[in-house]
Amino acid sequence: MDIIEILGGYRKYTLHSHTEFCDGRAQMEAFAREAVRRGFSHYGFTPHSPVPIESPCNMSASKVPEFLAEVERIRGEYGDKCRFYAGMEVDYLGGQWGPASSYFRELPLDYTIGSVHFIPAQSGELIDIDGRFERFARNMKEHFHNDIRYVVETFYRQSMRMLEAGGFDILGHFDKIAQNGSLYHPGLEDEDWYRKLVEDYMDAIVASGIVVEVNTKAYAEHGRFFPGERYFPRLKSAGVPLIVNSDVHVPSLMDASRMEAFSRLDSVSV
């Protein structure tokens, strides 16, 4: 598949979605039917990748063949109405596990999204820093000694390492830590040390040439995109390819806030 071609000629797409194979709340069939009903031209299935740790949100490795077979079945049934792709949102856990790992490179996937959801606590244990704030706050106390700066710096350090290692096609929600981090520590995104972390990361993103996701999942509830709107001018002026994804977990939210994201991006003058 040619992601740049999709970006250049279409807007009825999403290349980030989750189904019954991970933490989505409907079967792939339901998402496929909804994509066709809404007139989508391109649709990507991207289950959370297998990981070598316990995680209720991630697909098990034993389910990967079934997932790939279901994509093929859906292509056969609906492929004349919408192009469907077998993708995967691959978790970067460190040098031994991430998008660049041979396991993922050898899978017959059309593309991968590289994302950071887990970071090592001071103890070395990998802890999920995504999800609802209530869990994040518990993890801050139980695993991170309430040290928000450690969490944020570690998140961006892991993100930088994932970018350097490569092996993926789309960079997923690259400032996702900002949501829970800002709820835990209001004003976080305006602090100099935080802004420096993001600016350095964006410099690396620009140099890499990677396609960057504008994730709309949290906009309706929290009023924010990932990355935040404050970063749109920098990314657009640098010519970074931006793909608007809904990160959908429920078929009815397949197109949620995507037009708002396009509108904000279109209004940025470069």
Side-chain angles (χ1 to χ4, degrees), residues 36 115 148 153 166 180 192 234 246:
V36 170
S115 296
I148 189 62
E153 289 178 342
N180 281 330
D192 289 343
R234 167 80 172 100
S246 56

Side-chain angles (χ1 to χ4, degrees), residues 224-243:
R224 68 160 68 230
F225 300 114
F226 304 109
E229 290 182 58
R230 66 176 69 189
Y231 308 123
F232 288 3
R234 167 80 172 100
L235 296 169
K236 282 198 69 176
S237 65
V240 173
L242 300 173
I243 187 163

Side-chain angles (χ1 to χ4, degrees), residues 94-114:
Q96 302 303 311
W97 193 265
S101 300
S102 60
Y103 171 77
F104 298 108
R105 293 202 311 268
E106 293 168 6
L107 290 176
L109 298 170
D110 296 308
Y111 67 99
T112 55
I113 299 172

Side-chain angles (χ1 to χ4, degrees), residues 8-48:
Y10 303 89
R11 289 198 167 183
K12 293 294 286 186
Y13 66 77
T14 190
L15 299 183
H16 190 164
S17 68
H18 300 282
T19 70
E20 81 273 21
F21 282 94
C22 55
D23 62 346
R25 287 172 248 164
Q27 294 185 336
M28 287 174 65
E29 173 83 18
F31 287 91
R33 288 199 305 265
E34 185 68 8
V36 170
R37 189 186 74 80
R38 289 177 178 265
F40 272 48
S41 59
H42 302 77
Y43 191 90
F45 295 104
T46 54
H48 290 290

Side-chain angles (χ1 to χ4, degrees), residues 33-67:
R33 288 199 305 265
E34 185 68 8
V36 170
R37 189 186 74 80
R38 289 177 178 265
F40 272 48
S41 59
H42 302 77
Y43 191 90
F45 295 104
T46 54
H48 290 290
S49 70
V51 289
I53 58 175
E54 287 295 322
S55 171
C57 294
N58 289 72
M59 177 170 60
S60 67
S62 65
K63 289 286 187 179
V64 172
E66 183 182 344
F67 161 69

Side-chain angles (χ1 to χ4, degrees), residues 1-2 46 56 64 75 95 102 118 134 140 161 181 217 223 250:
M1 67 182 294
D2 188 335
T46 54
V64 172
R75 283 172 174 159
S102 60
F118 301 86
E134 293 75 17
M140 284 297 301
R161 288 172 177 168
K217 178 185 174 185
V250 180

